[in-house]
Amino acid sequence: MSDRTFQNESPLDFSIASHRDDFNGAVGLVRKRIEQREYVAKPIVEGRRRDCSEQISSLDPAAPSRIVGTVHLADTHLAQEALDSLATGARIFNEMGYEKRAHCLLRLGDLMARRRNELAALMIYEAGKPWKEADADVCEAIDFCRYYAIEMLKLGPPRQLMQVTGETNYYFYRPRGLGVVIAPWNFPLAIPCGMTVASLVTGNPTILKPAEQTSVIASEFAALVLEAGVPPNAFAFLPALGESVGKFLVESPQVHVICFTGSRDVGLQILRAGATVPAGQNHVKRVITEMGGKNAAIIDEDADLDEAVKGVLYSAFGFAGQKCSACSRVIAVGDSYEPFLSRLCDATGDLLVGHPEDPATFLNPLIDQTSQERVLREIADARGVHTLAFQGEVPSEGFYVPATIFRDVETRSRLWQEELFAPVLACRQASNFLEAIEMANNTQYALTGGVFSRSPKNIEYAYQHFEAGNLYINRSTTGAIVCRQPFGGYRLSGIGSKAGGPDYLLQFVDPRTVTENSMRRGFTPELV
Amino acid sequence: MTQAHVPSSSTVSDSFQTEVVSFGKQIFQQLGKEQPGAFNKNFWSGRIMEWSMTQKDFKTNMFRLVDVLPSLRNSEAIATHVNEYLSDAAKNIHGLVEWGVNVDPKGLRAKVTALMVKQSVKQMASQFIAGETPEGSLKQIRRLRKLQLACTVDLLGEYCLSEKEAQEYLKRYMDALVVFSREIPKWKESEPLIPGHPGESSAVCISVKLSALYSQCSSLNAKRSVEILSERLFTIARYAQQHGALIYCDAEDTAHNPMIYQVFQNVFGDSEFRNFPYPGIVLQAYLKDSEARLYELLEFAKTRGAPIAVRLVKGAYWDMETVLSQQNNWESPVFSKKESSDANYEKLTRILLENQQHFLPAFGSHNVRSLSFACCYAKHLGLTPADFELQMLYGMAEPIARAFQKQGYLVRLYVPLGELLPGMGYLVRRLLENTSNESFLRHTFFDSNEIETLLAEPTFKG
């Protein structure tokens, strides 16, 4: 197994009719299960599904009258029980060894691969994800399992460092301890999966707290984690409210690693809470946060507008802009501004809006009513300040927000600075490429960036000076692929970790060195 | 697929192979020392091609420069890009310095450089693109007909990203049909080049790029895409029928092809177009499933009850298909080895000719071996030059086109029209094709490979 090389799970080729038919079959199957109310997400502690008195409904954002499933919400008592159970299991899980844990991940990847269409279909209903995006989400989840498994096999064996006669030096890793994963809803399978399996494979018993909005899909994942062979006291699943149980877990002295992906404000709160050492805690918590972005694409004066419009269209409005990698600002250099904007607005107007169960749908709804109301408010405010270049139309049912483009947006404005997580794009002109880079960098974030240019010199300049964890040249700025584009940002976009990259697992372990003096009584075996 | 479709013999005899080679040699004899314009070293383009074929870095940089040129709006921008792309190459290629590489972009000489580069590229583009508008291309089309060469016109354009752009495309096709069907029949050169040849039932012929007619065309939106494209092709076909023009639907990448074939069958299988003469479709021999596709077309032609034209090509999206399948770990839809496409081309050639009562076979290639094979196999089956035709790209291989024409075959050139901006993409593809290591034209006109090698029978290599 150690010679197994990593290969990405292939996305479906939807140009093949039988692939579309199979996928459509899964969509129909899931819809039927939803109608029969088969989906119930419950906390899992000690391998047992727990009933809770507090319950919420998970809704289809495109048709909110449809209840996708019922979610039982854990309280802090159950959270404490989970912590205690995992604390008991920690030692056994460590002694299980990295190879067996890596095997669990490989099995988990295979289990998901076998059910990939069904998992994707569930995402269509619970997160409002269009077909292709949902399929990519499952592929990414599978990739995380396989990639981290193979990385762990490389990381696991103790290494001999510099050896001097008379001593042996070993360098190896130990798990940090109990891990808590706090996941977002926008990649409802890939991100919770990636964070959870990274924590598990390195030997940390782990609690997964999914986003409330996508607890059903997370609960399907949780069941598979146990099916793959992770011991019941090494993994717990706690659907719950962030404000109560999330906060409780973050503050618990029993927790060693917190792995979070979500908004900047919550991320910073967790960092603060993690830095506090309560009585009885004899360690420093490691907090891994991946937060937002206010990502810019630069359209150079010599850009290929065919590619630029297509790339921005997908980066800004794919999954309705609800990706931390989404493009929300465009800076067009000089004379490219007007023709770019005009083609972009026309193209945006013709994007197909609809229920994501329809494969043709490009623009899907936002995740919930709260998001919808917040974004509509922001758009209304922005309309009072900025020039509207384009606004599309959306159905009245569902949490849709129209694709919206503003032009000539001031760099100091809220619209230029604040992440909206929505299909809203702020555009402006720069007089030259250097100024464009400056404008792009004029934000708290540094997550993704895009450059459409055919000037070798400007591309080189962007390599050096465009502040972005993931910079994309002449292509869309979303859709990072495990191992090919390790993903993550710096500045207030995150602490600089790269999911799906070679350094990711190191955040979940403590390195140790053991030196043994091999000379006893003036006699050393090497010299015999 | 039934047994009945399998060609009469799975391989052809040695004596037949000898025949193909001797026919090919005649063609080469006719070529003599004549070179396609693009390879002529007296012209700028010929020298660029020469350098491109001998220096790989130069090739990439030069073609990228050509690609970006039309979007550069002033001489400073042009001079800057010339420097960025070519200053390294200028160290080895002295001629480049003469053309103004390394001039100060803000200085006076930049204007001279810009003008010269623009002119040169325009000249180069004009070898492959007959004009910006239908009116502007009439002169070239007439010249070709005087040379006894038929045409099919293709409209170059940018991506179609919105319905406004789709409507503009549709209008361009209609406008082209208006202009051509008004002007061309007035010429005495519009008389059939080969009397009774079905491809000459009209001198007006257009090739339609279907995906340009609908901005949301995608396999995930297949149902609607097919509906809307059918509707729009109906509009074009109706107009063509009224004015007696011929139509080919171009093939594209494998993501679009299933929809294209569906639309073609929807429209030309409709009773309204029962009498539409030889509606054309394209078959790409580099596709592993092209044989199955051909039998599907055969079934369609039978059901339709009237023959269709099939342009057999090797295929123009090889790089794109290969990249996409490699990046996604998909099985590649195309043969990885060029020679396999050539071998498959001959296999499909036989099936087309053996079913000639249902087809107007049109062999699109610049490869003398492929075309000689088709001509000889047709003869072998007792067919005449009025039963099929040969097609080539405008500006790519005039000497070869003329050589076949002189042998009495109908040769049709695929003539692109369009503005400089979308034209550059087309130009770069042609330049890449000509300078590729696999290029038959390169082997013939630049590398001067042995004629025996050029005419050797291709075999499947995977």
Side-chain angles (χ1 to χ4, degrees):
Chain A
M1 183 174 71
S2 55
D3 60 349
R4 186 165 164 171
T5 50
F6 174 72
Q7 201 177 27
N8 294 105
E9 177 78 357
S10 302
L12 284 179
D13 180 355
F14 285 112
S15 72
I16 296 172
S18 64
H19 291 184
R20 295 200 297 272
D21 293 345
D22 289 350
F23 196 88
N24 198 39
V27 171
L29 182 81
V30 166
R31 187 173 50 228
K32 212 169 132 196
R33 283 189 192 154
I34 289 172
E35 277 157 14
Q36 292 169 350
R37 305 298 298 269
E38 283 183 30
Y39 291 108
V40 180
K42 290 180 185 176
I44 305 174
V45 176
E46 291 275 351
R48 284 184 291 123
R49 282 159 57 89
R50 307 299 182 93
D51 290 307
C52 303
S53 53
E54 204 185 344
Q55 296 169 9
I56 55 169
S57 295
S58 177
L59 307 180
D60 174 353
S65 56
R66 176 187 281 136
I67 293 171
V68 175
T70 304
V71 182
H72 289 233
L73 295 176
D75 57 14
T76 50
H77 293 291
L78 189 56
Q80 186 56 53
E81 196 188 322
L83 287 168
D84 292 340
S85 143
L86 265 51
T88 328
R91 184 163 172 178
I92 298 168
F93 194 47
N94 186 17
E95 284 167 359
M96 187 176 167
Y98 69 91
E99 284 176 305
K100 277 192 179 153
R101 293 194 304 264
H103 269 294
C104 288
L105 260 62
L106 293 174
R107 263 200 301 278
L108 177 57
D110 292 345
L111 286 171
M112 286 195 284
R114 229 171 287 156
R115 292 177 53 194
R116 57 182 278 181
N117 287 359
E118 188 197 320
L119 290 168
L122 187 52
M123 232 181 286
I124 288 174
Y125 288 104
E126 199 182 26
K129 259 196 189 201
W131 279 34
K132 210 170 169 176
E133 311 263 347
D135 178 58
D137 198 318
V138 183
C139 288
E140 192 180 355
I142 297 166
D143 282 351
F144 278 133
C145 294
R146 293 175 178 163
Y147 178 73
Y148 291 146
I150 289 166
E151 285 301 301
M152 190 63 221
L153 293 173
K154 292 183 204 159
L155 205 63
R159 278 183 282 167
Q160 280 192 334
L161 296 181
M162 179 185 257
Q163 301 297 325
V164 176
T165 316
E167 71 179 26
T168 54
N169 295 312
Y170 278 99
Y171 190 76
F172 57 97
Y173 300 102
R174 72 181 282 278
R176 284 182 173 269
L178 216 145
V180 167
V181 169
I182 299 179
W185 46 262
N186 66 332
F187 286 84
L189 185 61
I191 296 183
C193 170
M195 296 194 295
T196 303
V197 299
S199 179
L200 286 172
V201 79
T202 42
N204 307 291
T206 302
I207 295 175
L208 167 59
K209 192 208 87 63
E212 295 99 87
Q213 297 92 330
T214 52
S215 296
V216 171
I217 177 82
S219 125
E220 297 291 301
F221 167 72
L224 293 177
V225 170
L226 294 171
E227 194 182 331
V230 173
N233 56 6
F235 174 70
F237 175 63
L238 292 181
L241 298 176
E243 308 87 78
S244 54
V245 171
K247 188 164 175 289
F248 175 80
L249 291 171
V250 165
E251 290 171 356
S252 163
Q254 285 166 287
V255 168
H256 291 73
V257 191
I258 301 160
C259 194
F260 168 81
T261 300
S263 72
R264 177 196 56 196
D265 293 348
V266 177
L268 295 178
Q269 266 174 37
I270 293 177
L271 274 163
R272 270 194 301 276
T276 311
V277 179
Q281 178 182 316
N282 297 325
H283 59 270
V284 178
K285 283 177 190 158
R286 165 61 68 100
V287 181
I288 303 158
T289 60
E290 294 184 53
M291 304 181 285
K294 188 72 189 178
N295 311 304
I298 295 176
I299 317 301
D300 201 356
E301 208 159 15
D302 65 358
D304 181 340
L305 290 191
D306 276 357
E307 297 292 343
V309 172
K310 215 175 90 180
V312 167
L313 209 58
Y314 181 65
S315 310
F317 304 128
F319 193 44
Q322 303 174 106
K323 301 179 188 175
C324 40
S325 56
C327 167
S328 52
R329 299 181 297 150
V330 163
I331 304 148
V333 179
D335 287 344
S336 70
Y337 187 51
E338 296 299 340
F340 170 81
L341 205 54
S342 140
R343 288 190 77 189
L344 180 75
C345 290
D346 287 341
T348 306
D350 290 320
L351 294 177
L352 300 173
V353 187
H355 196 295
E357 70 184 348
D358 176 353
T361 293
F362 184 100
L363 194 70
N364 51 275
L366 297 195
I367 188 70
D368 58 17
Q369 195 170 354
T370 315
S371 298
Q372 183 194 33
E373 284 168 359
R374 171 183 59 82
V375 173
L376 290 176
R377 242 186 348 260
E378 292 277 359
I379 292 175
D381 290 350
R383 286 186 74 154
V385 185
H386 308 287
T387 312
L388 184 72
F390 176 81
Q391 183 157 49
E393 283 166 18
V394 288
S396 52
E397 204 209 349
F399 305 132
Y400 292 89
V401 163
T404 308
I405 302 171
F406 289 97
R407 57 174 297 155
D408 312 332
V409 176
E410 284 296 323
T411 55
R412 276 165 312 188
S413 63
R414 180 175 168 80
L415 186 60
W416 194 262
Q417 296 291 343
E418 292 299 318
E419 182 179 42
L420 290 184
F421 229 56
V424 179
L425 189 59
C427 302
R428 63 167 295 125
Q429 191 177 26
S431 56
N432 57 54
F433 192 78
L434 269 58
E435 191 189 49
I437 294 275
E438 245 172 70
M439 287 171 177
N441 290 344
N442 180 359
T443 141
Q444 304 179 312
Y445 299 106
L447 188 49
T448 68
V451 173
F452 290 89
S453 172
R454 285 181 285 185
S455 158
K457 218 175 95 198
N458 289 353
I459 290 172
E460 174 60 29
Y461 188 83
Y463 264 70
Q464 303 300 334
H465 301 286
F466 197 140
E467 300 289 354
N470 288 61
L471 181 64
Y472 295 95
I473 315 282
N474 290 324
R475 53 153 283 178
S476 59
T477 66
T478 58
I481 290 173
V482 170
C483 190
R484 261 163 72 187
Q485 289 106 16
F487 183 81
Y490 50 98
R491 289 189 176 174
L492 289 187
S493 291
I495 56 148
S497 73
K498 285 289 200 188
D503 302 329
Y504 194 74
L505 294 184
L506 291 174
Q507 306 174 105
F508 295 85
V509 291
D510 288 318
R512 294 185 66 205
T513 305
V514 174
T515 298
E516 186 178 346
N517 173 11
S518 61
M519 191 163 76
R520 292 188 196 172
R521 300 268 170 203
F523 164 77
T524 184
E526 295 107 297
L527 295 179
V528 172
Chain B
M1 223 178 295
T2 63
Q3 273 300 310
H5 295 310
V6 174
S8 44
S9 55
S10 58
T11 55
V12 280
S13 65
D14 286 351
S15 67
F16 180 76
Q17 289 301 343
T18 320
E19 209 178 301
V20 174
V21 172
S22 77
F23 182 93
K25 281 181 177 166
Q26 281 176 47
I27 297 290
F28 275 113
Q29 235 160 31
Q30 291 237 312
L31 295 183
K33 295 251 173 281
E34 211 187 338
Q35 285 229 321
F39 286 90
N40 190 327
K41 286 173 202 164
N42 295 324
F43 292 113
W44 204 71
S45 60
R47 293 173 67 186
I48 285 181
M49 302 271 256
E50 184 183 357
W51 295 331
S52 298
M53 287 185 266
T54 48
Q55 311 203 20
K56 194 166 169 274
D57 287 348
F58 171 79
K59 175 170 159 176
T60 308
N61 284 319
M62 184 68 215
F63 290 0
R64 286 184 172 175
L65 174 64
V66 170
D67 171 57
V68 71
L69 267 179
S71 65
L72 303 179
R73 293 166 180 89
N74 54 54
S75 51
E76 185 184 333
I78 294 178
T80 304
H81 282 75
V82 167
N83 289 350
E84 288 178 21
Y85 279 106
L86 298 181
S87 61
D88 273 352
K91 288 174 196 151
N92 300 321
I93 303 175
H94 186 65
L96 285 173
V97 182
E98 292 168 26
W99 291 346
V101 175
N102 294 335
V103 305
D104 172 12
K106 291 192 192 298
L108 267 179
R109 282 196 58 206
K111 290 205 174 5
V112 184
T113 298
L115 198 71
M116 201 161 62
V117 169
K118 251 194 157 150
Q119 283 305 327
S120 309
V121 171
K122 260 194 177 156
Q123 181 211 341
M124 199 151 72
S126 69
Q127 288 179 340
F128 303 104
I129 301 167
E132 295 205 352
T133 59
E135 289 87 352
S137 67
L138 286 169
K139 212 176 119 192
Q140 287 302 324
I141 294 174
R142 191 164 191 179
R143 180 182 70 86
L144 294 174
R145 286 204 68 91
K146 274 194 183 123
L147 291 168
Q148 305 286 301
L149 298 167
C151 295
T152 178
V153 171
D154 155 56
L155 302 182
L156 299 171
E158 296 171 75
Y159 289 172
C160 168
L161 298 170
S162 63
E163 282 309 276
K164 189 178 145 206
E165 293 176 0
Q167 291 301 334
E168 283 165 8
Y169 255 107
L170 185 60
K171 187 168 179 303
R172 281 179 68 203
Y173 281 114
M174 304 300 275
D175 289 349
L177 280 173
V178 169
V179 172
F180 292 135
S181 58
R182 186 184 64 214
E183 298 299 328
I184 293 178
K186 292 182 193 163
W187 309 338
K188 61 177 189 307
E189 292 85 1
S190 68
E191 290 299 310
L193 299 170
I194 294 179
H197 192 294
E200 279 287 277
S201 67
S202 168
V204 181
C205 176
I206 60 165
S207 288
V208 179
K209 187 185 181 192
L210 280 172
S211 71
L213 295 176
Y214 177 42
S215 62
Q216 309 302 311
C217 177
S218 123
S219 42
L220 279 170
N221 186 23
K223 192 164 162 275
R224 204 170 335 188
S225 299
V226 167
E227 277 167 23
I228 291 178
L229 290 179
S230 301
E231 201 180 288
R232 292 178 186 172
L233 182 61
F234 257 112
T235 310
I236 294 174
R238 216 164 266 151
Y239 202 84
Q241 174 139 296
Q242 273 167 29
H243 293 85
L246 304 173
I247 291 182
Y248 275 93
C249 294
D250 280 344
E252 300 181 35
D253 57 324
T254 44
H256 286 101
N257 281 343
M259 293 182 280
I260 290 171
Y261 286 101
Q262 188 58 52
V263 169
F264 174 76
Q265 298 190 13
N266 282 356
V267 172
F268 294 107
D270 192 278
S271 57
E272 184 180 343
F273 295 118
R274 172 70 178 68
N275 295 319
F276 195 103
Y278 296 89
I281 187 81
V282 177
L283 183 68
Q284 297 153 318
Y286 66 10
L287 291 179
K288 293 172 185 167
D289 69 356
S290 48
E291 189 179 344
R293 180 71 77 188
L294 178 51
Y295 286 120
E296 181 193 303
L297 289 173
L298 179 61
E299 286 312 309
F300 170 68
K302 285 179 181 168
T303 316
R304 181 175 183 257
I308 60 171
V310 176
R311 177 196 302 150
L312 179 63
V313 298
K314 305 275 165 74
Y317 296 78
W318 192 88
D319 286 21
M320 187 181 153
E321 303 284 8
T322 303
V323 165
L324 201 67
S325 57
Q326 284 183 3
Q327 289 191 352
N328 290 308
N329 292 325
W330 292 337
E331 196 202 323
S332 174
V334 295
F335 292 113
S336 62
K337 296 276 188 297
K338 172 83 169 61
E339 202 183 327
S340 301
S341 301
D342 290 344
N344 195 42
Y345 191 94
E346 297 193 356
K347 190 176 184 192
L348 300 171
T349 293
R350 291 194 321 218
I351 303 173
L352 273 168
L353 288 169
E354 283 161 14
N355 293 283
Q356 177 273 338
Q357 70 272 32
H358 301 290
F359 293 134
L360 166 58
F363 300 102
S365 175
H366 304 126
N367 184 319
V368 175
R369 157 76 203 188
S370 304
L371 297 175
S372 300
F373 180 89
C375 294
C376 291
Y377 198 69
K379 202 171 139 201
H380 176 76
L381 293 174
L383 300 175
T384 75
D387 294 322
F388 65 100
E389 64 180 58
L390 309 179
Q391 297 192 357
M392 290 173 212
L393 297 178
Y394 175 74
M396 284 287 276
E398 310 92 327
I400 297 180
R402 277 198 297 277
F404 277 96
Q405 184 273 322
K406 287 203 178 98
Q407 295 282 331
Y409 296 100
L410 181 68
V411 180
R412 182 186 303 281
L413 298 189
Y414 183 89
V415 180
L417 311 185
E419 288 172 9
L420 207 52
L421 189 74
M424 279 308 125
Y426 179 82
L427 171 62
V428 169
R429 285 197 296 279
R430 296 291 78 79
L431 293 176
L432 282 169
E433 206 170 311
N434 271 336
T435 54
S436 133
N437 289 330
E438 311 269 16
S439 159
F440 184 86
L441 293 178
R442 172 182 176 158
H443 293 159
T444 306
F445 296 108
F446 185 80
D447 301 334
S448 306
N449 283 10
E450 289 293 324
I451 287 177
E452 293 285 345
T453 320
L454 291 169
L455 293 173
E457 182 186 8
T459 51
F460 279 98
K461 296 261 164 69

